[in-house]
Amino acid sequence: MPGYDPSDVPLYETRDARDDAYAAAEAEDRPFFGVERYEEGYAVTADLMPAGYRLSEPAQSELAKQLTRQVEAVVGDDSYPTEEVGRSLGDALVNLSFFEREATAREVAAALSELVLDEDNWVEATGPGGLP
């Protein structure tokens, strides 16, 4: 089964590190996935476009449900210092931000990775007009 344990989720401490990881993902035709550190906190990013794929409609629906559960659990639990988490959910790009703690971002990223990185949930991405 694809996915990461929380301690294994890639962490990008700087913009340069993130940009290098994106470039490597594009060069290797694989998704970009990880936790990014910002002044405001930590963001979780998953991008299937470097691999040339997007999530299937059933996977997108399941991901939306899963993210709602994950984010509500974090925001509703007083042991997590995050009060609000913004999310952007597309068929190829997912971004959740900002988490105050790296550990919280890693937990959510690990749960997200199981669905997003499972190639059985991917369909080939196409450009405008259905072109690859």
Side-chain angles (χ1 to χ4, degrees):
M1 186 70 156
Y4 289 101
D5 287 327
S7 62
D8 294 330
V9 173
L11 173 66
Y12 306 107
E13 297 270 0
T14 66
R15 180 175 290 182
D16 286 343
R18 185 218 39 223
D19 291 349
D20 290 347
Y22 251 111
E26 289 173 345
E28 298 167 15
D29 295 325
R30 62 175 171 77
F32 172 85
F33 189 90
V35 171
E36 301 172 64
R37 183 179 183 160
Y38 293 92
E39 284 185 28
E40 303 88 349
Y42 295 88
V44 176
T45 302
D47 188 353
L48 297 179
M49 287 308 292
Y53 291 93
R54 60 182 177 81
L55 289 173
S56 66
E57 288 187 22
Q60 285 180 62
S61 177
E62 178 58 31
L63 180 62
K65 291 176 195 171
Q66 187 181 86
L67 287 179
T68 297
R69 285 192 303 266
Q70 288 283 326
V71 169
E72 285 177 355
V74 167
V75 173
D77 188 334
D78 291 338
S79 67
Y80 293 108
T82 300
E83 294 178 14
E84 183 176 342
V85 176
R87 69 182 193 178
S88 172
L89 173 60
D91 62 357
L93 178 64
V94 177
N95 182 273
L96 304 170
S97 58
F98 287 101
F99 298 95
E100 290 185 33
R101 294 190 317 199
E102 176 186 333
T104 307
R106 285 179 175 275
E107 283 180 39
V108 173
L112 174 70
S113 72
E114 292 178 16
L115 191 138
V116 172
L117 297 179
D118 184 346
E119 292 183 25
D120 289 341
N121 293 326
W122 298 358
V123 294
E124 194 168 330
T126 55
L131 299 172

